[in-house]
Amino acid sequence: RKEVEQDPGPFNVPEGATVAFNCTYSNSASQSFFWYRQDCRKEPKLLMSVYSSGNEDGRFTAQLNRASQYISLLIRDSKLSDSATYLCVVNHKTSYDKVIFGPGTSLSVIP
Amino acid sequence: DAGITQSPRHKVTETGTPVTLRCHQTENHRYMYWYRQDPGHGLRLIHYSYGVKDTDKGEVSDGYSVSRSKTEDFLLTLESATSSQTSVYFCAISDQQGLGQETQYFGPGTRLLVL
């Protein structure tokens, strides 16, 4: 089983739609969680950190469920500019701070 | 945007030749990383550095070596390139670890094709 799993998609949604991505992780000792965004042929960029209490940044809401070991990202009122691949990222301690990137979920927002 | 550059941005080489990729940062961040990204695998850590001359292996380090002689430069070397090393290589930097909320900033990537 992969350490971090995501539905690869693609998710094709119309403008204005709400879309949700889920991510599961296997290591219960994982300590911190993030969502990164990667545009086609570009580098990943941090979208938001994910806190235990859940957090919101404009149209984006991230949730963490430690008991079930999954993270979610909700995008409301989708824009064309939201089209990208969304990477779930999990960090836990081994001999170093091990950062594991999920394979990503592809989103296309359609006019 | 964080000041990270990678060179070259694109490279085509032949199997068996040595290749060196360079990552340069202007942020004075302590930690630097090399990842490779392949379809279906996500980003996988090759090597990382936690200071000048301090480096360690990541999960896919076989066939790669690194060096960091200055804070701002982190070099990745493929001693004898193989076709399985065809990939997109990203360098990343961060200024803290172990605090649970560190952010990694990525360079623009190097596309390497090994024929």
Side-chain angles (χ1 to χ4, degrees), chain A residues 38-106:
Chain A
Q38 186 172 23
D39 294 311
C40 186
R41 301 179 72 84
K42 297 287 189 180
E43 70 273 22
K45 292 185 178 180
L46 179 69
L47 178 66
M48 59 196 304
S49 301
V50 186
Y51 304 115
S52 296
S53 55
N55 49 299
E56 187 174 309
D57 182 2
R59 298 182 292 107
F60 298 83
T61 300
Q63 296 278 355
L64 168 64
N65 185 318
R66 285 189 185 270
S68 301
Q69 295 182 202
Y70 80 81
I71 308 149
S72 64
L73 177 68
L74 183 75
I75 305 175
R76 292 181 298 278
D77 189 21
S78 299
K79 312 292 185 189
L80 296 177
S81 57
D82 293 334
S83 297
T85 297
Y86 291 84
L87 308 176
C88 173
V89 182
V90 174
N91 171 300
H92 65 263
K93 274 280 195 185
T94 57
S95 58
Y96 59 96
D97 281 300
K98 188 174 182 182
V99 178
I100 307 296
F101 286 79
T105 297
S106 175

Side-chain angles (χ1 to χ4, degrees), chain A residues 25-33 66 69 91-93:
Chain A
Y25 60 96
S26 61
N27 191 324
S28 59
S30 297
Q31 298 172 319
S32 53
F33 311 89
R66 285 189 185 270
Q69 295 182 202
N91 171 300
H92 65 263
K93 274 280 195 185

Side-chain angles (χ1 to χ4, degrees), chain A residues 2 31-34 36 38 41-46 49 51 87 91 93 95-97 99-103, chain B residues 1 10 35 37 40-43 45 48 56-59 90 97-98 100-104 106-108 111:
Chain A
K2 291 184 178 179
Q31 298 172 319
S32 53
F33 311 89
F34 309 86
Y36 277 69
Q38 186 172 23
R41 301 179 72 84
K42 297 287 189 180
E43 70 273 22
K45 292 185 178 180
L46 179 69
S49 301
Y51 304 115
L87 308 176
N91 171 300
K93 274 280 195 185
S95 58
Y96 59 96
D97 281 300
V99 178
I100 307 296
F101 286 79
Chain B
D1 288 346
H10 301 85
Y35 291 90
Q37 186 173 37
H41 286 280
L43 285 150
L45 183 66
Y48 70 103
D56 209 342
K57 297 179 180 179
E59 61 178 306
F90 287 102
Q97 275 198 355
Q101 297 301 326
E102 67 282 4
T103 297
Q104 293 193 10
F106 285 82
R111 294 183 177 274

Side-chain angles (χ1 to χ4, degrees), chain B:
Chain B
D1 288 346
I4 312 168
T5 57
Q6 293 184 229
S7 59
R9 294 292 313 279
H10 301 85
K11 187 168 181 67
V12 180
T13 192
E14 295 186 347
T15 298
T17 59
V19 176
T20 295
L21 308 183
R22 180 182 183 236
C23 177
H24 179 78
Q25 59 143 331
T26 58
E27 305 296 321
N28 201 36
H29 282 359
R30 178 181 175 187
Y31 302 95
M32 299 186 75
Y33 313 82
W34 276 108
Y35 291 90
R36 60 177 290 174
Q37 186 173 37
D38 305 288
H41 286 280
L43 285 150
R44 292 180 292 174
L45 183 66
I46 304 171
H47 282 278
Y48 70 103
S49 170
Y50 46 96
V52 173
K53 298 187 179 179
D54 291 324
T55 65
D56 209 342
K57 297 179 180 179
E59 61 178 306
V60 290
S61 60
D62 287 349
Y64 302 95
S65 62
V66 291
S67 65
R68 192 168 177 199
S69 59
K70 297 184 289 185
T71 298
E72 57 266 35
D73 290 326
F74 193 31
L75 304 181
L76 177 71
T77 297
L78 290 65
E79 302 290 347
S80 177
T82 67
S83 58
S84 64
Q85 294 177 311
T86 292
S87 187
V88 180
Y89 291 85
F90 287 102
C91 174
I93 64 175
S94 67
D95 62 355
Q96 56 187 359
Q97 275 198 355
L99 302 179
Q101 297 301 326
E102 67 282 4
T103 297
Q104 293 193 10
Y105 301 93
F106 285 82
T110 295
R111 294 183 177 274
L112 176 66
L113 174 60
V114 183
L115 299 175

